[in-house]
Amino acid sequence: MKAEPRRRGVTYDEADLLRRARTVRARAYAPYSSFHVGAVVLTEDGQLFEGVNVENASYRMTTCAEQSAIATMVTAGVRSPIVAVAVVGDGEDPCTPCGACRQTIFEFGPQATVYASGDAGRPLVTVIADLLPHGFGPRRLAQGQS
Ligand code: THU
């Protein structure tokens, strides 16, 4: 698939993002759910960060793939807005980000495009504002400060 120009001059190939997410998924640590997820985030300045889900015997400590990728981005000192997120999970249907991940994506990429895929069919392509309508984010919090 050819690279497509995106807003604010960022150019990327969505098929490449999904390929990377599918490849990194192999590193997921998911011995409890056996549901492996890989994620890639692309920032406006062209950097890519990958993540996988990391489960724990104390189940509620699980970290999702999207959150792993974004934590890696923040650890690298990057604050450039996220313009695209690719998520690939096991099974046929698209792996759409969970509610907590939607909130995390919204924090760093309120205009992000989200590509969600499984192992069959076409990816679901949407934007975070549609996955998290009327989302609460940094802008709203700043309004409340005096
Ligand atoms: N998971 C993700 O990594 N991202 C999501 O958006 C959905 C769920 C993981 C968490 C858990 O390790 C497994 O998938 C099953 O819920």
Side-chain angles (χ1 to χ4, degrees):
M1 184 183 284
K2 68 177 171 51
E4 296 170 12
R6 297 284 160 169
R7 65 184 136 69
R8 293 188 216 137
V10 186
T11 300
Y12 64 91
D13 177 351
E14 61 189 62
D16 179 59
L17 295 184
L18 285 163
R19 245 188 323 268
R20 287 171 185 267
R22 182 167 285 110
T23 299
V24 77
R25 179 182 62 173
R27 296 194 202 134
Y29 178 73
Y32 307 107
S33 73
S34 292
F35 190 79
H36 305 82
V37 185
V40 171
V41 298
L42 171 72
T43 54
E44 196 179 298
D45 64 0
Q47 300 190 69
L48 288 171
F49 298 93
E50 298 177 336
V52 296
N53 52 331
V54 182
E55 298 186 346
N56 193 281
S58 177
Y59 294 171
R60 70 185 185 87
M61 289 180 63
T62 290
T63 303
C64 287
E66 301 91 316
Q67 291 174 28
S68 295
I70 291 171
T72 301
M73 179 195 94
V74 172
T75 303
V78 175
R79 286 290 189 283
S80 179
I82 293 172
V83 295
V85 182
V87 189
V88 177
D90 289 344
E92 296 192 354
D93 292 340
C95 180
T96 50
C98 78
C101 287
R102 294 175 194 205
Q103 185 71 28
T104 306
I105 293 165
F106 189 71
E107 179 80 15
F108 295 98
Q111 298 187 7
T113 300
V114 177
Y115 302 89
S117 183
D119 285 320
R122 300 173 76 80
L124 185 148
V125 184
T126 184
V127 291
I128 193 65
D130 285 346
L131 292 176
L132 189 72
H134 309 288
F136 181 86
R139 282 183 203 158
R140 179 65 188 83
L141 201 57
Q143 276 176 30
Q145 292 166 349
S146 53

